[in-house]
């Protein structure tokens, strides 16, 4: 996943022209990736504008917290209703700014709405104050655990799923009682402004959810603006830059930094089903999915059957820029160079192209590419490609498949296909990542109750589910003395008798 804190590098004439124009003015253009045409102009928020937005959010956050769980639930369900009732409009904006087909955009909206609904309805259950056991040594104390809002959350979103992904931070932050200032990718500002307009249509005087648009400098300003936490989605190298800035003020960070997700296909798998999911996971959204399928490890007995069927399926794909296309163009123009370099490296290092090849990489659209027998040291296996390519390698058994799947620095998601569900669960336990789907791809992404996030180069922290709500809260511990303790241990004049009794208790309870 790519999200920069610096101005985009030169990619093609259209993007270069956009950056140059932005450098000379206080606006930048949103471009249609299908043809490079300007969709709209948006303001570049400078440091002062960002700080003003954060200050407005801080005031609004006090009002928002005072609404309580029930009040916030009602507001968020109204927000959800406003989005869902106009989903076609939002889907069209997504499609235009990302280039993905309308159907894919609509699916994204649907999933985002599900998460907003779950966060709104479950915040009280997860975050309400509750009593916890105080233990024998503190039996005179009543112990209460509370979760408080952090205040203002700065969200920096990606371009590949400009609603679904940031909603994992926005919805859960709002449900936990925080205000949000959202800086979308410079490639998809219209999607974010659409969401802000919908919020303002139900709460025009309460800037609980604000959008600031701009390039990398705007993102840097947001991180330095005094927000109480940053939720970032993007690449590992950029996440390191964000962390360095956060360190200046000890601002906490949750980071989702992409992946190199593996699929494992066992010899007993339903091959047709595995092929269907593999094709979707690898080539859906032009492969621009952080938890999509980039590597496939197939047991030797079914390897050729799987590879032949996958090739036949993917050959039917029709990439392009219209509604009949299977997937659209590359949203980020310079990602084309990365895709090309990974294909070249795979072939130079001994891999073979089963479908397509370097010639499949066009100026805007990349035709499907299936690579096989690619060494595990190749960039096509070790680094995030983020394009419509997939590596399919043969393994002798499932132990080797797990070893290879765990062989990169990434650890976001994975998928396993086997008819033996028990074996699937056992394999899932051995994978070093944050999420696994057995006999499906991206199954975890659609279930709002499940946390989403990775380890290693894929980042840290969680969005979605109860863990996502707690991610944007701070735990607060409260004790209330119900009666005086019979043992005066916390006293400058501790009785010798009480110490002896405590020593005997410790030995009886824990020393046997």
């Amino acid at each position: 996943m790519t999200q920069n804190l610096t101005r985009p590098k030169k990619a093609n004439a259209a993007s270069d022209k956009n950056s140059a124009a932005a450098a000379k003015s206080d606006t930048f253009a949103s471009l249609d990736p299908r043809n490079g045409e300007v969709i709209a102009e948006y303001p570049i928020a400078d440091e002062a504008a960002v700080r003003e937005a954060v200050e407005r959010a801080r005031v609004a956050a006090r009002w928002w917290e005072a609404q309580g769980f029930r009040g916030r639930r009602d507001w968020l369900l109204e927000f959800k209703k406003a989005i869902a009732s106009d989903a076609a409009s939002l889907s069209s904006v997504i499609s235009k700014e990302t280039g993905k087909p309308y159907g894919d955009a609509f699916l994204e909206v649907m999933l985002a709405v599900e998460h907003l609904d779950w966060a709104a309805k479950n915040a009280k259950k997860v975050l309400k104050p509750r009593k916890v056991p105080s233990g024998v040594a503190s039996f005179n104390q009543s112990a209460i655990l509370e979760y408080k809002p952090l205040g203002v959350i700065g969200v920096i979103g990606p371009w590949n799923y400009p609603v679904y992904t940031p909603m994992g931070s926005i919805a859960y932050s709002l449900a936990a009682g925080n205000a949000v200032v959202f800086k979308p990718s410079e490639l998809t500002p219209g999607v974010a402004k659409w969401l802000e307009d919908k919020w303002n249509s139900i709460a025009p005087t309460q800037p609980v959810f604000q959008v600031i648009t701009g390039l990398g400098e705007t993102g840097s300003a947001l991180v330095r603006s005094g927000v109480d936490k940053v939720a970032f989605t993007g690449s590992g190298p950029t996440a390191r830059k964000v962390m360095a800035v956060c360190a200046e003020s000890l601002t906490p960070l949750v980071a989702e930094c992409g992946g190199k997700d593996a699929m494992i296909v066992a010899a007993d798998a339903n091959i047709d089903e595995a092929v269907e999911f593999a094709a979707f996971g690898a080539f859906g959204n032009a492969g621009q999915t952080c938890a999509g399928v980039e590597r496939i490890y197939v047991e030797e007995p079914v390897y050729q059957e799987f590879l032949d069927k996958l090739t036949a399926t993917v050959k039917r794909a029709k990439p392009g820029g219209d509604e009949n296309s299977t997937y659209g163009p590359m949203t980020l123009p310079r990602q084309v160079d990365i895709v090309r370099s990974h294909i070249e490296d795979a072939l130079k290092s001994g891999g073979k192209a089963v479908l397509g090849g370097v010639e499949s990489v066009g100026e805007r659209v990349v035709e499907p590419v299936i690579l096989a027998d690619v060494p595990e040291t190749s960039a096509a296996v070790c680094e995030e490609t983020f394009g419509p390519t997939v590596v399919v390698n043969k393994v002798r058994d499932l132990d080797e498949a797990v070893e290879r799947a765990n062989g990169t620095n990434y650890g976001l998601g994975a998928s396993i296909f086997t008819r033996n569900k028990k074996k699937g669960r056992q394999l899932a336990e051995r994978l070093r990542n944050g999420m696994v789907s057995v006999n499906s791809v991206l199954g975890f992404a659609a279930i709002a109750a499940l946390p989403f996030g990775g380890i290693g180069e894929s980042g840290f922290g969680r969005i979605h589910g109860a863990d996502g709500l707690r991610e944007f809260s701070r735990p607060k511990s409260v004790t209330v003395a119900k009666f005086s303790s019979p043992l005066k241990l916390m006293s400058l004049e501790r009785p010798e008798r009480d110490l002896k009794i405590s020593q005997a208790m410790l030995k009886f309870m824990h020393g046997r």
Side-chain angles (χ1 to χ4, degrees):
M1 235 173 239
T2 305
Q3 165 73 52
N4 290 324
L5 289 186
T6 56
R7 182 160 287 147
K9 298 177 183 177
K10 182 175 180 179
N12 59 21
S15 62
D16 191 42
K17 181 179 178 181
N18 184 25
S19 296
K24 298 177 182 178
S25 69
D26 55 1
T27 65
F28 70 102
S30 169
L31 306 178
D32 188 329
R34 293 169 291 194
N35 51 33
E37 293 180 356
V38 173
I39 300 172
E41 293 278 340
Y42 293 91
I44 297 176
D46 60 14
E47 185 176 344
V50 172
R51 288 191 176 276
E52 288 173 4
V54 171
E55 287 306 310
R56 288 193 299 270
R58 200 163 297 287
V59 174
R62 292 193 286 271
W63 170 82
W64 187 240
E65 182 178 6
Q67 300 302 299
F69 288 112
R70 181 56 187 267
R72 292 193 294 271
R73 176 184 183 274
D74 292 345
W75 280 106
L76 290 175
L77 291 181
E78 280 296 311
F79 187 34
K80 177 200 75 169
K81 181 180 177 181
I83 296 171
S85 63
D86 202 12
S89 171
L90 178 55
S91 300
S92 295
V93 177
I94 296 171
S95 180
K96 195 165 189 177
E97 287 197 320
T98 65
K100 68 178 67 176
Y102 174 87
D104 287 355
F106 185 83
L107 175 61
E108 180 181 344
V109 174
M110 186 173 70
L111 293 177
V113 166
E114 285 291 322
H115 281 281
L116 178 56
D117 180 72
W118 192 94
K121 292 178 179 177
N122 287 275
K124 181 178 181 179
K125 177 182 177 181
V126 173
L127 302 177
K128 68 180 180 181
R130 65 177 184 271
K131 288 186 176 182
V132 298
S134 54
V136 176
S138 301
F139 70 98
N140 68 311
Q141 299 275 0
S142 177
I144 301 101
L145 172 61
E146 301 177 347
Y147 287 93
K148 296 292 187 179
L150 292 170
V152 180
I153 308 299
V155 177
I156 300 176
W159 46 263
N160 59 328
Y161 291 95
V163 173
Y164 169 78
T165 300
M167 190 61 77
S169 299
I170 294 168
Y172 293 81
S173 294
L174 291 172
N178 304 284
V180 171
V181 178
F182 174 34
K183 191 275 177 191
S185 165
E186 56 268 28
L187 302 182
T188 54
V191 173
K193 293 300 290 184
W194 190 100
L195 291 172
E196 183 186 45
D197 289 344
K198 271 291 178 278
W199 173 260
N200 290 337
S201 72
I202 64 170
T205 63
Q206 300 297 339
V208 171
F209 173 59
Q210 297 177 78
V211 169
I212 51 171
T213 57
L215 306 180
E217 293 86 346
T218 301
S220 296
L222 179 59
V223 177
R224 286 192 167 93
S225 65
V227 292
D228 298 289
K229 191 165 192 172
V230 174
F232 169 81
T233 304
S235 68
T238 306
R240 289 176 174 85
K241 296 177 183 178
V242 175
M243 286 182 69
V245 177
C246 286
E248 296 172 5
S249 55
L250 290 182
T251 301
L253 169 72
V254 52
E256 197 269 273
C257 306
K260 192 69 181 177
D261 289 11
M263 171 191 281
I264 294 175
V265 182
D268 67 347
N270 180 327
I271 299 301
D272 291 336
E273 187 175 79
V275 164
E276 183 177 6
F277 275 110
F280 173 78
F283 299 98
N285 200 35
Q288 300 169 123
T289 302
C290 58
V293 177
E294 295 215 2
R295 302 174 289 150
I296 305 176
Y297 298 110
V298 187
E299 281 198 286
E300 188 171 3
V302 295
Y303 177 77
Q304 197 59 51
E305 179 188 359
F306 176 89
L307 186 59
D308 290 344
K309 288 186 174 181
L310 178 64
T311 303
T313 298
V314 177
K315 276 183 177 179
R316 297 194 293 269
K318 298 177 181 178
D322 57 49
E323 282 309 310
N324 295 319
S325 299
T326 306
Y327 62 81
M330 303 297 290
T331 306
L332 181 65
R334 69 174 175 274
Q335 195 68 26
V336 171
D337 295 333
I338 295 175
V339 174
R340 182 186 296 107
S341 69
H342 283 196
I343 297 171
E344 290 173 343
D345 185 69
L347 298 178
K348 287 179 182 178
S349 59
K352 63 180 182 181
V354 178
L355 178 65
V358 177
E359 69 280 2
S360 302
V361 182
E363 182 181 355
R364 299 184 184 279
V365 176
V366 178
E367 298 283 336
V369 176
I370 298 177
L371 303 167
D373 301 328
V374 181
E376 296 296 300
T377 55
S378 170
V381 174
C382 297
E383 301 174 15
E384 187 177 38
T385 305
F386 224 55
T389 74
V390 68
V391 172
V392 185
N393 280 346
K394 183 193 307 179
V395 291
R396 62 180 178 273
D397 54 34
L398 295 175
D399 288 336
E400 183 184 4
V402 170
E403 182 181 358
R404 291 196 183 192
N406 289 338
T408 74
N409 293 325
Y410 291 95
L412 190 55
S415 54
I416 299 165
F417 285 82
T418 172
R419 294 182 192 271
N420 186 329
K421 294 182 179 63
K422 181 179 179 181
K423 180 168 64 178
R425 284 291 307 277
Q426 291 172 342
L427 290 171
E429 291 296 319
R430 296 169 59 190
L431 292 174
R432 179 185 171 276
N433 55 18
M435 306 162 292
V436 183
S437 287
V438 179
N439 291 331
S440 71
V441 165
L442 295 168
F444 44 77
I447 299 175
L450 286 176
F452 185 103
I455 60 176
E457 195 70 17
S458 291
F460 51 84
R462 294 295 183 267
I463 57 175
H464 303 173
D467 289 279
L469 288 167
R470 296 188 188 102
E471 188 75 52
F472 300 105
S473 306
R474 58 178 177 87
K476 184 174 183 178
S477 302
V478 178
T479 60
V480 179
K482 296 181 290 185
F483 52 86
S484 297
S485 173
L487 298 178
K488 292 189 175 183
L489 299 180
M490 301 180 73
S491 172
L492 293 179
E493 300 176 341
R494 184 183 300 113
E496 184 67 22
R497 167 184 168 276
D498 289 3
L499 181 59
K500 289 182 178 179
I501 292 174
S502 298
Q503 289 172 332
M505 286 175 57
L506 178 65
K507 185 174 183 180
F508 177 78
M509 294 171 59
H510 302 293
R512 294 187 297 170

